């Protein structure tokens, strides 16, 4: 430290050579000492490194002679001195600087358990959480990222309280804090219902005119569209279960369909593909290409793929409902092609020839064959790297599409597995034995999981072969040779069917204050 009245004459330190053998070069600084009227220049030499080292050793030598208890006591004194200097309650300090939004933003990353704990730290933390509406933001984050939360918000009606720009547009933070455990209770109940097979069953009797059977279906929140063996397409009110419209035009059974907000596309045993206006029911286009029954089709983003009993796969460009042109025909299967699926990378097809074939979506070139099923393959779904297929060998297989490896074989159905769907948690399959089985997908992908733990539940209500099914987080909708469509509701289950069982498959934690 520079004494009062002393100023460095040269700010830079100069190194001066010293000829003493036992000392290393020393650094010296020139200082000007002034009393106001006169000044004198002096030089102060800095101690050498060797001198500093000797002094350090001398200073530390007594410490090495301390007992263990002396050292612990010494470190305790140091810790008690430094700890208050290192601790900072930044959540309390930030609002004092007018930075409430930063404190809120930091706490908004907490999960429910941590947010509960943060509320108990002090009144200031509780105030930041309350005024920042952090319980509301936590619920909104879950709704944005989890389809189960999103669907539940719409079905329970609390979505109306979310994503409001102004705090005055909605309830206070206490409303959302009390809402959160109710949501968790709902989710745990749904998961338990899936695992235990508890459901509310609704039945649509299709009352086909001649031949009975519902071959295909698709649904949304308002309607169910079904393709029937009697050549018709029926549109049903999903809530009232009444038939809203019947579309006729095919001269054979309607074997497959898909719709979006504009059109319904159907394939039939009359070998044609028809495009209908989803609102008016008017026929917009008829594609005549396949020589035998059109067994399955998929369309997305201007591309459609159809497959047929004639062993071929047709790839179509869909510029508009009335402008659909054939791009390529894929040939390679040695029997009827029963099902197709695709994304931007691959087209996947399955056939009665016991194989699954993979094709490039962009070039339509053949990529690889997946072999393993012992008999013909009736159904499959493809997403990301995973292909799940069902066969007349009564098994379900899981495949890695990139390497062609079979990851797991699921056994349990007693007859041909006719339809299969999966999401991130479950596989749901329907078979000619009239049964619908729910499987644990994550366990199936774990090679260590015992085979006996994979099937979560078997649902038996259909009296005939199960032809098609679709499901989401809350329900399964299935169709059958028995001429019915069944809605298996796992959300709105009668109270007398409930018990205290909770599902271990998905865990949420909430701690009450």
């Amino acid at each position: 430290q520079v004494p009062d009245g002393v100023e460095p004459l040269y700010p830079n330190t100069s190194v001066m050579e010293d000829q003493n053998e036992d000392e290393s070069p020393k650094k010296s600084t020139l200082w000007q000492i002034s009393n106001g009227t006169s000044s004198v220049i002096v030089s102060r030499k800095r101690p050498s490194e060797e001198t500093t080292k000797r002094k350090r050793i001398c200073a530390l030598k007594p410490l090495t002679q301390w007992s263990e208890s002396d050292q612990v006591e010494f470190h305790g004194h140091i810790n008690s001195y430094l700890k208050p200097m290192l601790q900072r309650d930044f959540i309390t300090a930030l609002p004092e600087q007018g930075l409430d939004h930063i404190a809120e933003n930091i706490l908004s990353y907490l999960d429910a358990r941590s947010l509960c704990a943060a509320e108990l730290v002090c009144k200031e933390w509780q105030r930041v959480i309350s005024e920042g509406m952090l319980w509301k933001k936590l619920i909104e984050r879950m709704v944005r990222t989890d389809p189960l939360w999103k669907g539940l918000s719409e079905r329970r009606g609390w979505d109306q309280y979310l994503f409001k720009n102004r705090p005055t547009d909605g309830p206070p933070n206490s409303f959302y804090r009390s809402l959160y455990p109710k949501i968790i209770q709902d989710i745990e109940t749904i998961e338990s219902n899936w695992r235990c097979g508890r459901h509310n069953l609704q039945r649509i009797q299709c009352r086909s005119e001649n031949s009975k059977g519902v071959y295909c279906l698709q649904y949304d929140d308002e309607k169910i569209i079904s393709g029937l063996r009697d050549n018709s397409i029926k549109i049903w009110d999903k809530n009232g279960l009444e038939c809203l419209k019947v579309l006729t035009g095919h001269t054979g059974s309607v074997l497959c369909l898909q719709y979006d907000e504009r059109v319904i596309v159907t394939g039939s045993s009359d070998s044609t593909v028809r495009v209908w206006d989803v609102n008016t029911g008017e026929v917009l286009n008829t594609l005549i290409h396949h020589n035998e029954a059109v067994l399955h089709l998929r369309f997305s983003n201007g591309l459609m793929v159809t497959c047929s009993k004639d062993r071929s796969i047709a790839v179509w460009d869909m510029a508009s409902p009335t402008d659909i042109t054939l791009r390529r025909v894929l040939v390679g299967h040695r029997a009827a092609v029963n099902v197709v699926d695709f994304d931007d990378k691959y087209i996947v097809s399955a056939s009665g020839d016991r194989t699954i074939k993979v094709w490039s979506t962009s070039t339509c070139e053949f990529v690889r064959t997946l072999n393993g099923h012992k008999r013909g393959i009736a159904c499959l779904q493809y997403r990301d790297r995973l292909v799940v297929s069902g066969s007349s060998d009564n098994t379900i297989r899981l495949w890695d599409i990139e390497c062609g490896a079979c990851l797991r074989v699921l056994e349990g159905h007693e007859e041909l597995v006719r339809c299969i769907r999966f999401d991130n948690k479950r596989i749901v399959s329907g078979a000619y034995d009239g049964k619908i089985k729910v499987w644990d997908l994550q366990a199936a992908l774990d090679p260590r999981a015992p085979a006996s733990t994979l099937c979560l539940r078997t649902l038996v209500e259909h009296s005939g072969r199960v032809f098609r099914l679709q499901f989401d987080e809350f329900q399964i909708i299935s169709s059958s040779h028995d001429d019915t469509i069944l809605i298996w509701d796992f959300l709105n289950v009668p109270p007398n069917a409930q018990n205290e069982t909770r599902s271990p498959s998905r865990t949420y934690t909430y701690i009450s204050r």
Side-chain angles (χ1 to χ4, degrees):
Q1 184 174 356
V2 181
D4 292 338
V6 178
E7 299 176 0
L9 187 62
Y10 302 109
N12 296 325
T13 301
S14 60
V15 179
M16 302 180 67
E17 295 293 335
D18 195 308
Q19 299 302 318
N20 294 338
E21 293 183 358
D22 61 335
E23 291 187 6
S24 59
K26 301 181 181 62
K27 294 181 180 179
S28 65
T29 306
L30 299 180
W31 300 88
Q32 179 177 354
I33 303 175
S34 173
N35 60 6
T37 57
S38 62
S39 62
V40 63
I41 296 175
V42 298
S43 174
R44 189 184 72 179
K45 291 185 179 181
R46 294 186 178 181
S48 68
E49 292 182 7
E50 187 65 29
T51 303
T52 303
K53 185 176 180 180
R54 284 198 299 269
K55 290 181 178 179
R56 186 184 300 117
I57 292 172
C58 290
L60 293 176
K61 188 173 182 180
L63 300 181
T64 62
Q65 299 172 356
W66 284 4
S67 66
E68 185 175 347
S69 60
D70 291 336
Q71 294 181 44
V72 170
E73 184 180 2
F74 175 73
H75 287 297
H77 288 309
I78 296 296
N79 186 56
S80 62
Y81 178 75
L82 293 177
K83 193 171 182 180
M85 301 173 64
L86 298 175
Q87 289 179 329
R88 293 290 185 273
D89 182 358
F90 55 89
I91 297 299
T92 299
L94 285 168
E96 293 174 355
Q97 304 298 320
L99 301 173
D100 300 62
H101 62 288
I102 296 179
E104 292 170 9
N105 192 48
I106 292 169
L107 294 180
S108 70
Y109 288 95
L110 298 179
D111 58 19
R113 175 190 286 272
S114 303
L115 201 56
C116 284
E119 286 182 316
L120 302 177
V121 171
C122 64
K123 289 184 178 180
E124 182 61 20
W125 282 46
Q126 188 180 49
R127 183 195 67 79
V128 171
I129 291 169
S130 177
E131 294 184 4
M133 302 293 286
L134 297 191
W135 283 103
K136 173 175 178 283
K137 292 177 181 177
L138 173 61
I139 294 172
E140 289 175 341
R141 187 168 78 238
M142 297 303 298
V143 169
R144 278 194 299 266
T145 57
D146 191 322
L148 176 55
W149 281 70
K150 186 176 189 304
L152 197 57
S153 73
E154 295 166 352
R155 286 164 173 78
R156 293 302 197 219
W158 42 267
D159 59 331
Q160 63 182 304
Y161 304 115
L162 304 178
F163 305 107
K164 305 289 185 182
N165 292 327
R166 294 178 299 174
T168 55
D169 291 342
N173 183 67
S174 58
F175 168 82
Y176 300 98
R177 197 193 189 289
S178 61
L179 175 62
Y180 189 90
K182 295 175 184 176
I183 298 171
I184 297 304
Q185 179 72 36
D186 247 356
I187 290 172
E188 290 180 344
T189 299
I190 293 166
E191 293 293 330
S192 175
N193 291 342
W194 271 98
R195 186 167 289 273
C196 299
R198 291 188 298 265
H199 59 273
N200 181 43
L201 189 70
Q202 294 178 290
R203 189 184 305 266
I204 298 175
Q205 297 286 352
C206 292
R207 298 185 175 86
S208 300
E209 292 295 329
N210 302 311
S211 51
K212 296 184 181 297
V214 185
Y215 280 132
C216 53
L217 64 82
Q218 184 184 336
Y219 72 86
D220 56 40
D221 289 340
E222 286 79 38
K223 62 184 177 294
I224 302 170
I225 301 182
S226 58
L228 280 72
R229 190 179 178 190
D230 68 3
N231 308 351
S232 69
I233 299 146
K234 291 187 176 180
I235 303 176
W236 309 86
D237 183 322
K238 186 171 179 294
N239 299 309
L241 307 184
E242 300 97 357
C243 183
L244 303 175
K245 195 173 297 183
V246 180
L247 310 184
T248 58
H250 278 298
T251 57
S253 301
V254 181
L255 304 178
C256 54
L257 68 81
Q258 184 184 341
Y259 71 85
D260 62 12
E261 67 280 357
R262 296 188 305 162
V263 296
I264 307 168
V265 183
T266 58
S268 168
S269 58
D270 65 12
S271 306
T272 68
V273 174
R274 288 180 181 253
V275 183
W276 318 71
D277 186 293
V278 73
N279 297 310
T280 66
E282 176 190 0
V283 177
L284 303 176
N285 204 341
T286 301
L287 306 177
I288 302 174
H289 164 75
H290 290 290
N291 298 321
E292 295 189 63
V294 179
L295 301 179
H296 201 251
L297 63 85
R298 301 297 297 167
F299 71 86
S300 178
N301 299 323
L303 184 69
M304 180 169 68
V305 181
T306 61
C307 63
S308 170
K309 191 177 178 181
D310 66 11
R311 307 182 184 183
S312 73
I313 302 159
V315 183
W316 309 79
D317 289 309
M318 298 180 69
S320 72
T322 56
D323 184 8
I324 302 175
T325 56
L326 183 65
R327 179 196 294 185
R328 186 83 173 263
V329 177
L330 310 181
V331 179
H333 283 293
R334 302 187 307 277
V337 184
N338 294 317
V339 59
V340 289
D341 203 354
F342 73 93
D343 63 9
D344 292 338
K345 189 172 185 180
Y346 294 125
I347 298 170
V348 186
S349 59
S351 167
D353 65 9
R354 310 179 183 183
T355 68
I356 297 170
K357 292 191 180 293
V358 182
W359 319 75
S360 167
T361 303
S362 58
T363 66
C364 293
E365 296 300 320
F366 172 74
V367 177
R368 67 178 58 87
T369 299
L370 310 182
N371 290 296
H373 278 295
K374 303 296 188 295
R375 299 184 67 182
I377 302 165
C379 56
L380 67 72
Q381 183 185 349
Y382 157 56
R383 192 179 69 191
D384 299 327
R385 291 186 62 139
L386 184 63
V387 175
V388 180
S389 60
S391 166
S392 56
D393 64 12
N394 304 350
T395 69
I396 297 163
R397 286 180 179 254
L398 283 65
W399 312 81
D400 184 328
I401 196 170
E402 295 294 348
C403 65
C406 180
L407 306 174
R408 173 76 80 162
V409 180
L410 304 179
E411 298 179 313
H413 281 294
E414 298 164 9
E415 294 186 46
L416 178 151
V417 182
R418 180 65 177 81
C419 50
I420 199 152
R421 304 298 295 170
F422 70 88
D423 63 9
N424 292 328
K425 299 191 295 291
R426 304 178 185 94
I427 302 169
V428 181
S429 60
Y432 277 7
D433 57 14
K435 298 174 182 177
I436 294 172
K437 288 184 177 288
V438 181
W439 311 80
D440 186 331
L441 174 60
Q442 296 306 318
L445 292 172
D446 182 356
R448 300 166 297 178
S452 59
T453 65
L454 303 182
C455 184
L456 303 177
R457 187 59 49 177
T458 299
L459 307 173
V460 184
E461 287 290 346
H462 281 295
S463 59
R465 297 172 170 179
V466 181
F467 285 143
R468 194 62 53 91
L469 62 80
Q470 182 185 341
F471 78 98
D472 57 42
E473 298 279 1
F474 308 100
Q475 63 199 329
I476 301 170
I477 299 186
S478 59
S479 66
S480 168
H481 189 266
D482 63 15
D483 209 38
T484 67
I485 297 172
L486 298 185
I487 303 173
W488 314 71
D489 186 351
F490 298 94
L491 174 61
N492 302 299
V493 179
N496 57 2
Q498 298 288 354
N499 58 39
E500 295 304 314
T501 306
R502 290 288 173 260
S503 168
S505 63
R506 189 170 186 146
T507 302
Y508 291 84
T509 303
Y510 178 83
I511 300 175
S512 179
R513 290 173 63 185

